[in-house]
Amino acid sequence: MMELNQLLEMLKHTPAMQSKQTIAHHVSINTTCHVDSLDSLYAYPGDDTAAVPLNGQYILHACEGMLPSFVADHPYFAGWSAVMANISDIAAMGGRALSVVNSFWHTSSESAQLLMQGIQDACNAYGVLLVGGHTNIGVVYQPTLSVAIQGIARKLLSVLHVKPQQKILIALNLKGRFHPNTTYWKCFERVPDRILQSQIALLPQLAEANLAHAARDISNAGILGSLLMLLEATASGAQINLDAIPKPDDVDWFKWLQIFPSFGFLLTADANGCEAIIELFHRQDIACAVIGETNACGVVAVQQQKRRDIFWDFNRQVFTGFCYADALKKLQAQSIPIKSKSQQESMLCPV
């Protein structure tokens, strides 16, 4: 078995992890912005979607772009995947998807038809309207696809809600298989539409029942990369037990930790709510387990059996750069007095 420190080091240097880190170097976002309420922060990058308050609810907006090589080589699956990823983003915010629009460029009418069929089939499967888009077909184009989605949430799950001493849970559908030569874990094939819809509806149910605080769908950065995006907005740290993560016996850890699943989420919740969350997922044949706990250190430590190593330290290195810890502290200071950082660290950071 691969040593833990070697496993973590290799994961940090995967192309997907590297692509997330380039965001901080090439995209300028003012994360020390002046805000007068938590609502005003929900529209900033960091969560899976932007959330805009409207009449006591939140309008959700998200967009996914597919790699040109993926669009060229797997047009149907690219179309399906773009919709599926967007729907997961809406669900991760505690929302329900409403409608999808798309823009694509392709060189081939036949491939473009497959692309559109994938988009339409996914919309039908998840019960979401395809309401329009923009089509470009010509020999001069590089195959490219972008799909945007709109949704609505009564109560948000947001990475801005992460606080110390919350339990971290993972929910994964293990009844799937890898798409050939990729890290995409498909668990939607030959599954009835009603099952897909009832599974994705679990996330808004958790939000509306106040069982979970934050969520993040597991995306192309894999399990630990997605965990970093769950934690970075609040500069939180975590202790993770690798052995608690559900995994098929025939898949090694290096590959499994890189998965981009069609159904996979990380959540935070209070300890007394975890049993109810796990039971809700289990009723839908979704594996769910507590895999760790948040803290105020900014250090993400991973344990496997008796071995322990540091995966990431936000005190030393940003990931995507979308951190709003300073803005959140200012908001909190306006309402409730809080303990100093040194007091928090002494209580909540494991030695």
Side-chain angles (χ1 to χ4, degrees):
M1 185 168 61
M2 188 184 300
E3 289 294 326
L4 179 62
N5 61 346
Q6 182 184 5
L7 172 64
L8 298 181
E9 193 62 27
M10 288 173 63
L11 286 169
K12 282 192 283 190
H13 292 91
T14 61
M17 284 284 290
Q18 294 290 314
S19 70
K20 294 297 182 185
Q21 293 173 67
T22 59
I23 296 172
H25 300 296
H26 297 288
V27 180
S28 177
I29 297 292
N30 181 14
T31 59
T32 60
C33 48
H34 172 75
V35 293
D36 54 11
S37 69
L38 192 56
D39 271 355
S40 59
L41 269 182
Y42 290 138
Y44 280 73
D47 265 309
D48 282 300
T49 82
V52 180
L54 180 67
N55 299 330
Q57 300 185 100
Y58 293 90
I59 301 297
L60 307 177
H61 299 275
C63 183
E64 291 287 344
M66 297 289 105
L67 289 171
S69 59
F70 187 32
V71 178
D73 297 339
H74 308 277
Y76 179 87
F77 187 43
W80 177 289
S81 298
V83 173
M84 178 188 66
N86 268 315
I87 287 172
S88 292
D89 286 344
I90 294 290
M93 290 295 289
R96 293 175 170 84
L98 295 176
S99 58
V100 161
V101 295
N102 69 84
S103 294
F104 72 87
W105 290 256
H106 219 296
T107 58
S108 159
S109 296
E110 183 180 351
S111 293
Q113 191 61 43
L114 287 171
L115 190 74
M116 281 301 301
Q117 193 63 54
I119 292 171
Q120 186 64 71
D121 287 353
C123 287
N124 292 342
Y126 288 99
V128 181
L129 290 173
L130 177 60
V131 296
H134 189 70
T135 302
N136 306 271
I137 299 176
V139 294
V140 298
Y141 294 131
Q142 181 182 37
T144 310
L145 171 66
S146 177
V147 172
I149 194 166
Q150 299 76 44
I152 195 163
R154 297 172 189 163
K155 187 173 178 61
L156 291 181
L157 300 174
S158 171
V159 295
L160 299 172
H161 300 165
V162 174
K163 293 181 180 179
Q165 294 182 305
Q166 292 175 355
K167 297 297 182 182
I168 300 170
L169 300 95
I170 193 169
L172 281 170
N173 189 339
L174 298 182
K175 296 182 177 179
R177 60 178 181 146
F178 283 106
H179 191 71
N181 304 313
T182 72
T183 57
Y184 297 105
W185 179 255
K186 301 188 294 186
C187 32
F188 56 81
E189 294 178 315
R190 294 177 294 280
V191 178
D193 297 352
R194 61 178 179 82
I195 299 296
L196 293 175
Q197 292 174 32
S198 64
Q199 289 174 344
I200 208 72
L202 289 171
L203 279 298
Q205 290 170 24
L206 291 175
E208 290 159 14
N210 293 314
L211 284 172
H213 300 298
R216 182 93 205 185
D217 83 311
I218 299 170
S219 63
N220 65 327
I223 293 174
L224 293 183
S226 299
L227 174 69
L228 296 185
M229 291 188 283
L230 179 75
L231 300 170
E232 187 173 27
T234 55
S236 297
Q239 290 267 59
I240 298 297
N241 178 10
L242 206 65
D243 297 312
I245 298 175
K247 179 181 77 67
D249 293 336
D250 60 345
V251 182
D252 64 68
W253 278 113
F254 182 62
K255 186 167 186 178
W256 189 245
L257 290 173
Q258 293 183 71
I259 57 167
F260 189 164
S262 63
F263 188 101
F265 296 89
L266 295 164
L267 307 100
T268 71
D270 295 331
N272 58 11
C274 291
E275 187 175 342
I277 293 172
I278 291 169
E279 175 61 24
L280 277 173
F281 280 111
H282 283 182
R283 286 180 196 168
Q284 299 270 6
D285 289 328
I286 304 294
C288 183
V290 175
I291 64 169
E293 183 173 302
T294 61
N295 59 51
C297 296
V299 175
V300 180
V302 178
Q303 181 176 339
Q304 186 180 41
Q305 298 176 5
K306 294 183 179 180
R307 296 169 297 172
R308 181 182 180 276
D309 209 338
I310 302 299
F311 179 63
W312 205 267
D313 185 350
F314 286 118
N315 302 299
R316 298 174 179 269
Q317 186 178 12
V318 300
F319 187 49
T320 64
F322 300 139
C323 179
Y324 304 97
D326 290 341
L328 288 168
K329 285 175 184 176
K330 290 177 183 176
L331 288 176
Q332 195 171 20
Q334 293 168 11
S335 54
I336 304 172
I338 61 172
K339 295 180 175 66
S340 68
K341 182 177 180 183
S342 60
Q343 288 175 304
Q344 287 178 328
E345 288 178 348
S346 65
M347 292 189 298
L348 301 173
C349 291
V351 177

